[in-house]
Amino acid sequence: MSSCLVEIDESSAVVRLTGVLDAAGAEALRGALLTRLAQRPGPVVVDVTGLRVVDSAGRGVFADVRREVTDWPAADLLLCDPAVDGPARPDAGLADVPAWPTLDEALAAVAATPLAAVLTAELAPAVGAARQARELVTTGCERWGMPTLTDPACIAITEMVNNVVAHARTPMTVRLAPQDSTLHLAVRDHSARQPTFAGMSPPNRAGGRGLLLIDTVTRRWGSSAVPDGKVVWCVLHPDDEAAG
């Protein structure tokens, strides 16, 4: 029976994989990598030196995870893969994920492009959580020179946090980071209940407009399932505010 062992280095960005990865183990690995990316900001380096991938399902899990976290704040997935010859382009190496032949080279690449900025807060599902989240967003927008995004980002984060307070009722992690000229927000909770958005609510129905507000003020948004909950994320762009 094949197996893939996941070893997480809590003190660094490294996740080491050993053993054999096949279709049966791909979903569990996907969950483990998404959980790690939700726990800490910044790129995660997956060391596949001791891993044997035996089918396409296992091979594709790395690109799948990288696509899933594209719009999360300050998140990325990179590989240490000795099969590549020199630093790999994004369309080279195992599973179309940027890769380096040694762990030292992969970590050096991460160190060469450190996080420009990221803000995180752990909040309880209680009255006042949305206010704390708005204060974090306001601080970030001021610090990163994004004044036009303060109001729409505060609207979005308020609705994201209030959804946790009203429905998930679990502790949450609020995270935000700039990326080029865009602002990325995420709220991670511990409920498997996914948000559902069906467009405009009937005018005679109370509530149900939170996701409409998020959809209105953001360029794009979505929800990623993780093994013990979900990450709801959104991206705001200053051009949208200028157009408005």
Side-chain angles (χ1 to χ4, degrees):
M1 180 176 179
S2 63
S3 62
C4 172
L5 177 64
V6 180
E7 178 187 352
I8 295 174
D9 184 347
E10 297 292 347
S11 65
S12 76
V14 178
V15 174
R16 291 180 176 85
L17 305 182
T18 55
V20 179
L21 177 62
D22 59 9
E27 188 59 29
L29 175 58
R30 180 181 186 276
L33 293 177
L34 287 174
T35 297
R36 185 56 175 159
L37 284 155
Q39 287 173 338
R40 66 183 304 278
V44 165
V45 177
V46 182
D47 185 354
V48 299
T49 302
L51 185 71
R52 184 163 65 93
V53 184
V54 298
D55 59 24
S56 58
R59 186 173 299 273
V61 69
F62 302 103
D64 178 56
V65 169
R66 191 166 191 251
R67 283 191 297 268
E68 187 69 45
V69 304
T70 295
D71 286 322
W72 290 16
D76 199 3
L77 187 75
L78 312 175
L79 294 178
C80 165
D81 180 5
V84 302
D85 182 16
R89 303 182 311 276
D91 60 349
L94 179 66
D96 298 332
V97 176
W100 286 261
T102 69
L103 188 57
D104 285 345
E105 288 174 281
L107 292 175
V110 171
T113 55
L115 289 177
V118 61
L119 291 175
T120 302
E122 304 293 334
L123 302 179
V127 174
R131 175 185 53 77
Q132 293 175 273
R134 286 193 298 271
E135 290 172 353
L136 192 72
V137 166
T138 300
T139 296
C141 288
E142 290 175 352
R143 183 175 300 176
W144 305 324
M146 297 178 161
T148 61
L149 294 181
T150 302
D151 288 345
C154 282
I155 292 171
I157 204 68
T158 296
E159 299 305 326
M160 293 161 74
V161 168
N162 281 344
N163 279 340
V164 177
V165 174
H167 303 296
R169 301 187 180 94
T170 74
M172 72 191 91
T173 302
V174 176
R175 182 167 293 149
L176 57 146
Q179 182 176 318
D180 299 324
S181 61
T182 61
L183 179 64
H184 295 240
L185 311 178
V187 177
R188 189 257 205 271
D189 65 48
H190 299 274
S191 167
R193 181 178 178 178
Q194 293 290 317
T196 56
F197 176 57
M200 186 74 72
S201 298
N204 61 346
R205 191 175 82 186
R209 293 180 173 81
L211 295 179
L212 175 61
L213 281 172
I214 295 172
D215 188 69
T216 300
V217 300
T218 65
R219 175 158 290 196
R220 54 188 179 275
W221 70 277
S223 180
S224 304
V226 296
D228 65 340
K230 62 182 175 294
V231 176
V232 180
W233 54 266
C234 66
V235 179
L236 297 98
H237 198 292
D239 286 352
D240 298 338
E241 302 311 306

